[in-house]
Every structure is written in structure tokens, then in C-alpha cells.
Amino acid sequence: MGLPTREDLATMRQDIKDGLGFGSSGSTFTANNAIIDSWLERAQRLIYWEHDFTELITIETITSQQGQEGYDWPANTEPKKILSIWLEDTNLTSANWYPMIEGVGPQHYGRISTTDQGRPTRYERRDQLDIWRRPDDNSYTFHIEGIKRLGRLTAETDKATINEDLIKMLALAWGKAHYRHPDAQDWRLYYDKTMRRIKAGDQGKKKFIRSHGRAEHFVDRMYDRPEYHAYTNP
């Protein structure tokens, strides 16, 4: 069973109006629509960049092209929220997945000539996904794990990308502060407490540790020990 369908902008706006005491004005009262919409859009954007929600994790793939260094980013993945990239060597039948390390510097480009090719081991986030070394054939698949891109929230039927309850809590706190309601701070505290609980729940029992050395590793939170991949990167 998939996640429930998110609420659209019009539905969330009406909930904010109700929370501010404007519900009895009816749907024909649109004088404050623009400011409420701005609170909702800004709240979603702020929350999206504050936390990586597990329900937004997506895995997309790119197939290598021999000698090609740069690849367009997948349409649904936010480049600033990449969690990991793994390389699958489809020429091999076993032990054919290798973690790639982020970071390609002058020392890597200077290590080999531009005509040298091989199995890619590193990547860099630029306007494209840049990989090193240049692939020596078309048999590699890059598995990119990251967070789904933030969707638009400006039209009536645009649906929230993230938890709409969080969006409405924060937007309502801003709205109540704007209209000087005495419970504005209560709603902000309500949002902060809910956000902390969601962050704790999303952490789970394992956590990815970005590699800074020669070996890629993960920490198993259940047994509190590192698990090393057999392959080491240069």
C-alpha cells in the first residue's frame, strides 16, 4: 500500500483560514488568499530543506556511456540531497556492486591521461553528475539514492510534496503571529515538537556515514559495529 495522496493547495489554504477564524467568511472571501498561499509555499520549502524525509527517498539509475564523464541528473532526484551512489558492473555476475566516493579533484584528473578509461570509482556534484574515471564501456549502471525533488505549490491543484500537517502547523503559526493571536507561540512549539519526533523516527536503526578514507563503510545501529565493503577505492 502506497502513501496517502497529499492535500492540494486549495485544501490546505481553507484549513489555515479555519484555524485563523476566517472559515465562516466562505470560499468567496479571497482577500487573504495570496498571503496564506505564500505562508504555505514558504513553509513547505523550509521544511523540505530542513530534513530528508524517508518517504521521499528514491532510487534512479543512469547507464554509463564509454568515455563520457558528465551525465544529466535524474528528473526526480534533488542533486543537493544525494544520499549515496553505487556502481553496478553488469559484466560481473557476483560481487558486482561498488560504493562510489564523492570528491573528484585535480589530483585525480592529473593521475591519468584524458584518454585513460576504467571502472568509475568517484563522483562530483556539479551542473551534471561528473564521474571519475571515464567508463571503459557501457556496462556500468549508476544507482543514485536521493531525495525526491520539491514540487511546485502555487496552483490550486498543486499537491504538497511533504507531510501537509507539518506545512499547515508552521504556516498557521506564522499566520497567528501575523494577526497577533495569543496562541501563535503554542502552534510554533507544536510544530517543533512534531518535527523532532519525525526526525527521530526517520533515523531508524542504521545511518549512512560519508566516507573520508579508502574504504566505504556503514554503521549498523542495531549491533553498533561498522560493516566494511570488500572493495576499496583509490
Coordinates of all heavy atoms in Angstrom, one line a residue, residues 2 18 21-24 39 45 56 72 82 100 122-123 128-129 136 148 173 191 207 209 213 234:
G2 N 0.6 2.1 -0.9 CA 1.4 3.4 -1.0 C 1.0 4.4 0.0 O 0.0 4.2 0.8
D18 N -9.6 28.4 8.4 CA -10.4 27.9 9.5 C -9.6 28.1 10.8 O -10.2 28.6 11.9 CB -10.7 26.4 9.4 CG -11.7 26.2 8.2 OD1 -12.3 27.1 7.7 OD2 -11.8 25.0 7.8
G21 N -9.8 31.6 12.0 CA -11.1 32.2 12.3 C -11.8 32.8 11.1 O -12.8 33.5 11.3
F22 N -11.3 32.5 9.9 CA -11.9 33.1 8.7 C -12.8 32.1 8.0 O -13.3 32.4 6.9 CB -10.8 33.6 7.7 CG -10.0 34.7 8.3 CD1 -8.6 34.6 8.1 CD2 -10.5 35.7 9.0 CE1 -7.8 35.6 8.6 CE2 -9.7 36.7 9.5 CZ -8.3 36.7 9.3
G23 N -13.0 30.9 8.6 CA -13.8 29.9 7.9 C -15.2 30.3 7.6 O -15.8 30.0 6.5
S24 N -15.8 31.1 8.5 CA -17.2 31.5 8.3 C -17.4 32.5 7.2 O -18.5 32.8 6.8 CB -17.7 32.1 9.6 OG -17.0 33.2 10.0
W39 N 2.6 31.7 2.8 CA 3.0 31.0 4.0 C 3.1 29.5 3.8 O 4.1 28.9 4.2 CB 2.0 31.2 5.2 CG 1.9 32.7 5.6 CD1 2.9 33.6 5.6 CD2 0.8 33.3 6.2 NE1 2.5 34.8 6.2 CE2 1.2 34.6 6.6 CE3 -0.5 32.9 6.5 CZ2 0.3 35.5 7.1 CZ3 -1.4 33.8 7.1 CH2 -1.0 35.1 7.4
R45 N 8.9 24.8 1.6 CA 10.3 24.9 1.1 C 11.2 24.8 2.3 O 12.2 24.1 2.3 CB 10.4 26.2 0.4 CG 11.8 26.4 -0.2 CD 11.8 27.5 -1.3 NE 10.7 28.3 -1.4 CZ 10.6 29.5 -0.9 NH1 11.6 30.0 -0.2 NH2 9.5 30.3 -1.1
L56 N 10.4 10.2 1.0 CA 10.8 10.9 -0.2 C 12.0 10.3 -0.9 O 12.5 10.7 -1.9 CB 11.0 12.4 0.0 CG 9.9 13.2 0.5 CD1 10.3 14.7 0.6 CD2 8.7 13.1 -0.5
D72 N 23.4 13.9 -17.1 CA 22.3 14.7 -16.6 C 21.7 14.1 -15.4 O 21.6 12.8 -15.3 CB 21.2 14.8 -17.7 CG 21.7 15.7 -18.9 OD1 22.6 16.5 -18.7 OD2 21.1 15.6 -20.0
I82 N 21.6 14.1 -2.4 CA 22.1 12.7 -2.8 C 22.5 12.0 -1.5 O 23.3 12.5 -0.7 CB 23.2 12.8 -3.8 CG1 22.7 13.4 -5.1 CG2 23.7 11.4 -4.1 CD1 21.6 12.8 -5.8
M100 N 30.5 4.3 -4.5 CA 31.3 5.4 -5.1 C 31.5 6.4 -4.1 O 30.7 6.7 -3.2 CB 30.6 6.0 -6.3 CG 30.4 5.0 -7.5 SD 29.8 5.7 -9.0 CE 31.2 6.7 -9.5
R122 N 34.6 7.3 -8.4 CA 34.3 8.6 -7.7 C 33.3 9.4 -8.5 O 33.1 9.2 -9.7 CB 35.6 9.4 -7.5 CG 36.5 8.8 -6.4 CD 37.8 9.7 -6.3 NE 38.6 9.2 -5.2 CZ 38.5 9.6 -3.9 NH1 37.6 10.6 -3.6 NH2 39.2 9.1 -3.0
Y123 N 32.7 10.4 -7.8 CA 31.7 11.3 -8.5 C 31.8 12.7 -7.9 O 32.3 12.8 -6.7 CB 30.3 10.7 -8.4 CG 29.7 10.8 -7.0 CD1 28.9 11.9 -6.6 CD2 29.8 9.7 -6.1 CE1 28.3 11.9 -5.4 CE2 29.3 9.8 -4.9 CZ 28.5 10.9 -4.5 OH 27.9 10.9 -3.2
Q128 N 26.2 18.8 -13.8 CA 25.9 17.4 -14.1 C 26.5 16.5 -13.1 O 27.3 16.9 -12.2 CB 26.4 17.0 -15.5 CG 25.7 17.6 -16.7 CD 26.3 17.1 -18.0 OE1 27.5 17.2 -18.2 NE2 25.4 16.6 -18.8
L129 N 26.2 15.2 -13.1 CA 26.9 14.2 -12.3 C 28.2 13.9 -13.1 O 28.2 13.3 -14.1 CB 26.0 12.9 -12.2 CG 26.7 11.7 -11.5 CD1 27.1 12.1 -10.1 CD2 25.8 10.5 -11.6
D136 N 35.1 2.6 -19.3 CA 35.7 2.0 -20.4 C 34.8 1.2 -21.3 O 35.2 0.6 -22.3 CB 36.8 1.0 -19.9 CG 36.4 0.0 -18.9 OD1 35.2 0.0 -18.6 OD2 37.2 -0.7 -18.4
K148 N 13.5 13.0 -3.3 CA 12.7 13.5 -4.4 C 12.7 15.0 -4.5 O 12.8 15.6 -3.5 CB 11.3 13.0 -4.2 CG 10.3 13.4 -5.3 CD 8.9 12.9 -4.9 CE 7.8 13.4 -5.9 NZ 6.5 12.9 -5.5
A173 N 1.2 28.9 12.4 CA 1.9 29.6 13.5 C 2.3 31.0 12.9 O 2.2 32.0 13.6 CB 3.2 28.9 13.9
Y191 N 4.6 22.6 16.3 CA 5.4 22.2 15.1 C 6.7 21.7 15.5 O 7.2 20.6 15.0 CB 5.5 23.4 14.2 CG 6.6 23.2 13.1 CD1 6.4 22.5 12.0 CD2 7.9 23.8 13.3 CE1 7.4 22.3 11.1 CE2 8.9 23.6 12.4 CZ 8.6 22.8 11.3 OH 9.6 22.6 10.4
K207 N 22.5 4.2 9.9 CA 22.8 5.6 9.4 C 24.0 5.5 8.5 O 25.0 4.9 8.8 CB 23.1 6.5 10.6 CG 23.4 7.9 10.2 CD 23.6 8.8 11.5 CE 23.9 10.2 11.1 NZ 24.2 11.0 12.3
I209 N 27.3 6.8 6.8 CA 28.4 7.6 7.2 C 29.2 7.9 6.0 O 29.7 7.0 5.3 CB 29.3 7.0 8.3 CG1 28.4 6.5 9.5 CG2 30.4 7.9 8.7 CD1 27.7 7.6 10.2
G213 N 37.8 8.1 3.9 CA 39.1 7.3 3.7 C 39.0 6.5 2.5 O 38.3 6.7 1.5
P234 N 40.5 4.0 -4.7 CA 41.8 4.7 -4.7 C 41.7 6.1 -4.0 O 40.6 6.6 -3.9 CB 42.1 4.9 -6.2 CG 40.8 4.8 -6.9 CD 39.9 3.9 -6.1

